Amino acid sequence: VRIEHPEYLLLLAFSGAAAYIGARNYFSGRASLIVLTGRSDDDNFFNRYLVKSFFGTLFICFFIAFSVLALADISWGKVPVEEDRVGLDIVFSLDISRSMLAADAEPNRLKASTEIAGELVRRLPSARFGVVIFKGAGITAIPMTEDRSVLESFLEQVDPGMVNASGTDIESGLDAALAAFPAGTGRHRAIVLISDGESRGGGAMKNPIRAAEEGIPVFSIGVGGTEGSTIGLPGGGLVTGTGRKPVVTRLNEGALKNAAETTGGTYFSAAEPGTAGRVAEKILGFEESRGKTGFRLVSSRRYRVFLFAGFLALAMHILIGSLGWKKKE
Amino acid sequence: VFTFEAPSFLLLALLVPPGIYLKHFSKSRGNLVSFPFAIWKNVGFVPRIHGIRVLLFFSHSAFWIGCICIIIALAGPAVFLREKVFLTRGIDMVLVLDESPSMAARDFQPVNRFETAREVIRRFVRNRENDPIGLVSFSYEAVLRVPPTLDYEHLIKKLDELSIMDLGDGTAIGMGLSVACLHLRSSTAAEKVIILLTDGKNNTGEISPETAADIAAQMGIRVYTVGIGGKDETPIEFSDPKTGKFYRGTLEEGFDEELLRKIAENSKGNYFYAGNPGTLGSIFQAIDALETIERRVRIEVRSNPIHGRFILLGLLLIFADFLIRKKFLREVL
């Protein structure tokens, strides 16, 4: 079971508000009716009023709750969608933030990343590649191309100075990666996200969901160690934070794992030997299985089940409010 | 194109008129209750305030519009997008553009040769489909700006970033051509094309234009050469992007027509002469027409569901109606 838009669940508060308003309205209405009709408090009329008020409010609350569940787009199960593609387009989304200069990978995280990317380019001879680089914002560095020499020379000289925006934002890296696939090419698509995962912001990520909808798996690779490391500057010295203390950065796998899981990709740790080989194997496996079956599985949208239940509750609300008072008084 | 995934749900809208009748017009509807008038000493009520009736009308309208939104959402509204998918491989092209200071000559109005060339290339790129296009620029040195790609937006962005004198002073035609060849090396396209634009004589670079043309010919790349510029003396103005220094002068020398013709002939391409902006435009149209390839295309339809907006709107309208009636107007029945 997956909730595509969990933020809408906050609207469930409307349901509670409706219940509160309904209850208050019952008590004030009852008092008004006593004054208006001159009936005594224990008249059977007021029992019916209670029943009608109670169920009328209950069904409007149900309606709100079910509509909100429909809006949150809860899905379970998978349905196949036809996908007739040939060939493979891969975008590297490469984190070039300053924390990537930490030396807890050999020789540093950034170099380790570009080595893996270069190795992947060599292992996937029939694929086309593009490269986006990101820090606080992402840009296309190499557009999708067959030209391998440009990829190789770019990967050799990639440097944190290539993007101005500071910080790390994996969302913007994925955003740029999704934009880097040219339209209308009819090839299988995959993103290789390489980062130390140190992301500011946080909260639910939208782009993995977008990628999943478009059938683009994210194969994410975490570089660096979880025990933490200082960041060496190219000219010597360390990156320092407040109080001149060296900044310590550690691999944060959360966002990387999330992106992989949401999109049907896989997470890899660069610390284990032979990472590039395993990634290449996974990507080839993905291409082959898609190519063979000719379809991909997408999560099945179930909003209609909830919305129809909500609609029925709304109909009940109208009926209860509209039906007469049984006996003519 | 707007469609419904499950249009049969729209039949539920037939329930709306009976619902409106039941809720607002039926004689025995639940929001009527009869009681003896006598306790009010037969005086009756003060007529209702007009404003409240208007508010109530809007509130009821909101409710029923909300119901219709929910019914529409049930029917699965979606926008269909058609996407052209190319099944065949296009032609790989690399544009080789001269950025030497002479390109600033003002004989090509409104600005200069370089701006005219840039505009013509932009139009040319926008006209192509499915053909990976790359960009090399040269003057003293030659640099690959964009490898052959279908990402035309990126290509045009990089083209717009070019500036005269960025690569020094000089005209290294041979280097420009060989950089283009290098980046077409791993191309799998059946047809490969280089379009060379220059207004000067080759005067620098380690590789001579003839050698570069031979390499292209051996790789099966067609080279179209375009010589630009009038044959008379022309005024020239530009500023060095590195120092910001402004230069002004007169240009006397043109391009080497013989060389460009030879390069084109060697590689089974064509040589063109663009003496004014109009001819440059038509030359690119001619190349566009010459470089065609059989294409097979499939139309892919993707649906983009938009039920969420209808659910949200319906929900808010119905809740607003409930809030107005029960909370603000304190409706009893």
Side-chain angles (χ1 to χ4, degrees), chain A residues 181-327:
Chain A
F181 291 103
T185 56
R187 295 165 74 97
H188 294 290
R189 295 168 296 176
I191 294 173
V192 176
L193 170 66
I194 313 181
S195 170
D196 56 11
E198 280 232 325
S199 201
R200 69 165 180 200
M205 295 208 293
K206 286 241 174 283
N207 285 323
I209 296 172
R210 259 179 64 204
E213 274 170 8
E214 293 190 32
I216 304 174
V218 176
F219 297 92
S220 51
I221 303 171
V223 279
T226 44
E227 58 285 341
S229 163
T230 51
I231 307 165
L233 286 169
L238 296 173
V239 173
T240 52
T242 45
R244 298 248 169 140
K245 274 190 197 143
V247 171
V248 174
T249 158
R250 41 181 68 80
L251 169 62
N252 182 351
E253 298 174 315
L256 297 172
K257 280 185 175 161
N258 170 325
E261 271 165 27
T262 311
T263 55
T266 317
Y267 171 76
F268 301 87
S269 163
E272 290 162 32
T275 305
R278 284 180 295 129
V279 179
E281 216 171 89
K282 272 279 175 202
I283 292 177
L284 286 173
F286 144 76
E287 186 196 358
E288 200 191 309
S289 72
R290 284 268 175 97
K292 223 183 253 169
T293 54
F295 65 81
R296 65 186 165 98
L297 294 172
V298 293
S299 49
S300 170
R301 292 176 181 281
R302 308 285 182 163
Y303 83 94
R304 201 170 278 133
V305 178
F306 293 101
L307 195 59
F308 193 67
F311 180 80
L312 290 181
L314 190 64
M316 289 303 289
H317 169 77
I318 297 171
L319 274 180
I320 287 169
S322 313
L323 286 183
W325 290 83
K326 211 167 153 192
K327 278 182 276 176

Side-chain angles (χ1 to χ4, degrees), chain B residues 22-43:
Chain B
L22 205 63
K23 196 163 187 256
H24 305 296
F25 300 106
S26 162
K27 286 255 160 53
S28 60
R29 63 188 187 272
N31 55 0
L32 288 182
V33 72
S34 48
F35 51 82
F37 228 45
I39 56 165
W40 294 93
K41 300 192 178 110
N42 293 329
V43 176

Side-chain angles (χ1 to χ4, degrees), chain A residues 8 11 14-15 17-19 21-22 24-25 28-30 32-33 35-39 45 49 52-53 56-57 60 63-64 67-68 70-71 73 84-85 128 139-150 179-180 182-186 214 301 303-304 307-308 311 314 317-319 321-325 328-329, chain B residues 5-6 9 12 15 19 22-23 27-36 39-40 45 63-64 67 70-71 73-77 83-86 89 92 130 144 146-151 154 182-183 185-189 298 300 302 305 307-308 311-312 314-316 318-319 322-323 325-327 330-333:
Chain A
Y8 282 126
L11 292 180
F14 278 4
S15 202
I21 293 168
R24 286 210 33 180
N25 191 260
S28 70
R30 185 187 166 101
S32 306
L33 281 175
V35 175
L36 279 170
T37 60
R39 288 170 200 268
F45 174 85
Y49 183 61
K52 279 183 68 142
S53 292
T57 306
I60 201 83
F63 160 73
I64 294 169
S67 305
V68 170
L71 205 52
D73 239 346
D84 187 7
R85 290 172 180 267
R128 293 195 307 195
I139 56 162
T140 304
I142 305 289
M144 187 61 67
T145 184
E146 266 183 352
D147 180 2
R148 277 152 193 270
S149 49
V150 72
T185 56
E214 293 190 32
R301 292 176 181 281
Y303 83 94
R304 201 170 278 133
L307 195 59
F308 193 67
F311 180 80
L314 190 64
H317 169 77
I318 297 171
L319 274 180
S322 313
L323 286 183
W325 290 83
K328 287 266 178 213
E329 305 270 341
Chain B
E5 281 162 1
F9 276 96
L12 289 174
L15 294 176
L22 205 63
K23 196 163 187 256
K27 286 255 160 53
S28 60
R29 63 188 187 272
N31 55 0
L32 288 182
V33 72
S34 48
F35 51 82
I39 56 165
W40 294 93
F45 296 107
F63 179 84
W64 290 108
C67 287
I70 297 292
I71 292 170
L74 273 171
E83 196 186 343
K84 218 183 200 177
V85 175
F86 290 92
R89 181 77 165 79
D92 271 15
N130 195 37
L144 177 87
V146 184
T149 184
L150 289 169
D151 192 343
H154 183 80
L182 173 73
H183 290 280
R185 199 182 41 179
S186 49
S187 156
T188 58
R298 182 181 71 215
E300 234 170 52
R302 282 193 311 161
H307 58 261
I311 301 178
L312 189 62
L315 179 64
L316 291 178
I318 291 170
F319 183 72
F322 185 77
L323 195 69
R325 284 190 294 115
K326 298 291 179 185
K327 174 94 178 113
R330 291 167 67 188
E331 183 187 81
V332 173
L333 291 168

